[in-house]
Amino acid sequence: MTQLEQVTVVKEANIYYEGKVTSRAVILPDGSKITLGIMLPGSYEFGTDQHETMEILSGELRVLLPDKEEWLDIKGQATFEVPANTRFKLEIAVVTDYCCSYA
C-alpha cells in the first residue's frame, strides 16, 4: 500500500535520540495505529510494548532482533517482525523511511 486514506494524523511527533529518529502516529479507519517515520544514520536501541511489524520503505540498515546473534542486513524495501516486550538494535547507514504497525 503506497497511500493511506480516511485516516487521522496525530500532530505531535514522536522524537527519539535527539531528533535522529522521528515518527508521526496515524490512526486508521478501523482504530488501529501505525507510525510513519524517518531514521537518520546512527546506532539505536528500542523496546517494544506490543508486537511490531517494521516495513522499511527505503534505506540501508542492519537490525539485531531479539534472541538473534546475527544482524539482518537490509537495503531498500523489507519487512521484519519484533515480538512484544523485547528490545532490538538498529544500525542505520543512510536515511531510512519506515512504517511500523502494532498488534
Side-chain angles (χ1 to χ4, degrees):
M1 170 181 0
T2 60
Q3 183 173 309
L4 302 170
E5 296 188 19
Q6 299 179 350
V7 299
T8 300
V9 177
V10 178
K11 291 192 318 185
E12 185 176 352
N14 303 304
I15 302 172
Y16 307 97
Y17 292 98
E18 300 174 346
K20 294 180 180 175
V21 178
T22 63
S23 68
R24 297 267 195 242
V26 177
I27 310 303
L28 302 177
D30 67 0
S32 62
K33 178 180 92 169
I34 63 170
T35 54
L36 299 173
I38 295 286
M39 295 181 281
L40 298 179
S43 296
Y44 311 107
E45 183 172 353
F46 289 98
T48 62
D49 292 329
Q50 43 189 319
H51 180 272
E52 297 184 9
T53 300
M54 291 284 295
E55 179 186 3
I56 304 303
L57 304 171
S58 67
E60 186 176 328
L61 64 146
R62 298 175 71 207
V63 180
L64 183 60
L65 294 169
D67 301 323
K68 300 292 182 184
E69 294 182 18
E70 290 190 31
W71 290 79
L72 171 65
D73 291 313
I74 297 172
K75 291 183 181 180
Q77 297 182 345
T79 300
F80 60 90
E81 308 280 327
V82 184
N85 303 309
T86 60
R87 299 191 70 74
F88 66 104
K89 295 180 180 181
L90 299 162
E91 290 183 356
I92 309 300
V94 301
V95 175
T96 297
D97 185 18
Y98 72 92
C99 177
C100 184
S101 58
Y102 307 88

